Amino acid sequence: MTVQVAAVRPARPDDAEAIAAIYGDGIDGRNATFVTTPPAAENVRAWLRQRGPFLIAERDGRVVGWAAVTDYSDVPAYRGVGEFALYVAAAARGGGVGRTLLSALCDAAERDGRFKLIGKIFPENRASLAVARACGFEEVGTHRRHGLLDGRWRDVTIVERLLGEARG
Ligand SMILES: CC(C)(COP(=O)(O)OP(=O)(O)OC[C@H]1O[C@@H](n2cnc3c(N)ncnc32)[C@H](O)[C@@H]1OP(=O)(O)O)[C@@H](O)C(=O)NCCC(=O)NCCS
C-alpha cells in the first residue's frame, strides 16, 4: 500500500496565514532566502493573485508546506521561465513533503505553459539541493557573493529543469 505523504492542491486566499507562518520558519533558519521578514497575510493574498502556480501540501487538515512559481523576468522571450520557492513547516521536514510539492509544482508549471523552472539555492542548503536533484533539477553553476544576508556575503547555486517542449 502506498502511504500518501501529503495532499497537494492549489493555494487559496484563506491559506495565507499558514503560508506566511511556514515562510517564517524558513526565514528563521537563515539558509533559504535573503528575505528577513515574513510577509503579512495580505501580501501573500496579493501574491496568490499573480501568475503561479502556487500549491500547498496538507496533512490531517493542516497546511504543512507550500511551493510557488514566480516569473523569472519581464522580458517576453523569458515568459516561459519561472523561479520556484519551496517551504515546508519545520515540524514536517524530512518526510517527503518537499519532494511531493516540488514534483507537483513542475507538473503544474508545465501545464501552465512554462518551459523551464529555475531555483536559486544557498550552497549550504543541502536539503534544498537534495530535493531539487530528486525532482530532476540539474546544477548549472554558482553565483559568487550574490547578496548580503545579515551583513554576510552569500553564494547562490542555480538549478534548472526543462519542461514541456524545451525537453526536446
Ligand atoms: C528544503 C525543504 C523544502 C525540503 O523539504 P523536505 O520535506 O524536508 O524534504 P523531503 O523529505 O521531501 O526530502 C527530499 C529528498 O531530499 C533529501 N533530504 C532532505 N533533507 C535533507 C538534508 N537535510 N540533507 C540531505 N538530504 C536531504 C531526502 O533524503 C530526500 O531524498 P530522496 O527522496 O532521494 O530520499 C525543507 O527542508 C525546508 O522547508 N527548508 C527550509 C526552507 C528552504 O530551505 N527552502 C528552500 C529554499 S531554496
Side-chain angles (χ1 to χ4, degrees), residues 13-35:
D14 63 338
D15 296 318
E17 282 78 9
I19 290 167
I22 292 169
Y23 199 5
D25 280 352
I27 289 169
D28 287 348
R30 289 299 195 266
N31 210 20
T33 174
F34 286 104
V35 174

Side-chain angles (χ1 to χ4, degrees), residues 5 22-23 25-27 29-33 59 64-66 83-90 92-102 119-122 124-135 157 159:
V5 169
I22 292 169
Y23 199 5
D25 280 352
I27 289 169
R30 289 299 195 266
N31 210 20
T33 174
R59 192 190 275 160
V64 290
W66 60 268
E83 179 172 347
F84 77 80
L86 174 69
Y87 288 82
V88 174
R93 290 180 196 157
V97 174
R99 186 185 180 135
T100 302
L101 265 173
L102 185 57
K120 296 202 210 81
I121 302 176
F122 292 141
E124 301 84 0
N125 192 343
R126 308 315 300 174
S128 188
L129 287 170
V131 174
R133 245 178 255 127
C135 291
T157 295
V159 297

Side-chain angles (χ1 to χ4, degrees), residues 9-144:
R9 62 163 171 81
R12 300 184 305 241
D14 63 338
D15 296 318
E17 282 78 9
I19 290 167
I22 292 169
Y23 199 5
D25 280 352
I27 289 169
D28 287 348
R30 289 299 195 266
N31 210 20
T33 174
F34 286 104
V35 174
T36 52
T37 318
E42 203 41 52
N43 298 102
V44 174
R45 278 187 275 274
W47 185 359
L48 292 176
R49 290 191 290 272
Q50 293 170 19
R51 184 182 177 197
F54 201 129
L55 303 177
I56 64 112
E58 214 170 25
R59 192 190 275 160
D60 301 326
R62 291 175 65 90
V63 178
V64 290
W66 60 268
V69 175
T70 50
D71 287 338
Y72 165 77
S73 165
D74 291 337
V75 173
Y78 296 146
R79 181 149 172 78
V81 183
E83 179 172 347
F84 77 80
L86 174 69
Y87 288 82
V88 174
R93 290 180 196 157
V97 174
R99 186 185 180 135
T100 302
L101 265 173
L102 185 57
S103 172
L105 191 75
C106 290
D107 293 345
E110 193 169 66
R111 285 195 300 275
D112 187 38
R114 303 275 190 187
F115 61 76
K116 178 186 283 193
L117 284 189
I118 70 141
K120 296 202 210 81
I121 302 176
F122 292 141
E124 301 84 0
N125 192 343
R126 308 315 300 174
S128 188
L129 287 170
V131 174
R133 245 178 255 127
C135 291
F137 285 78
E138 287 176 30
E139 289 172 28
V140 175
T142 297
H143 289 303
R144 295 176 55 239

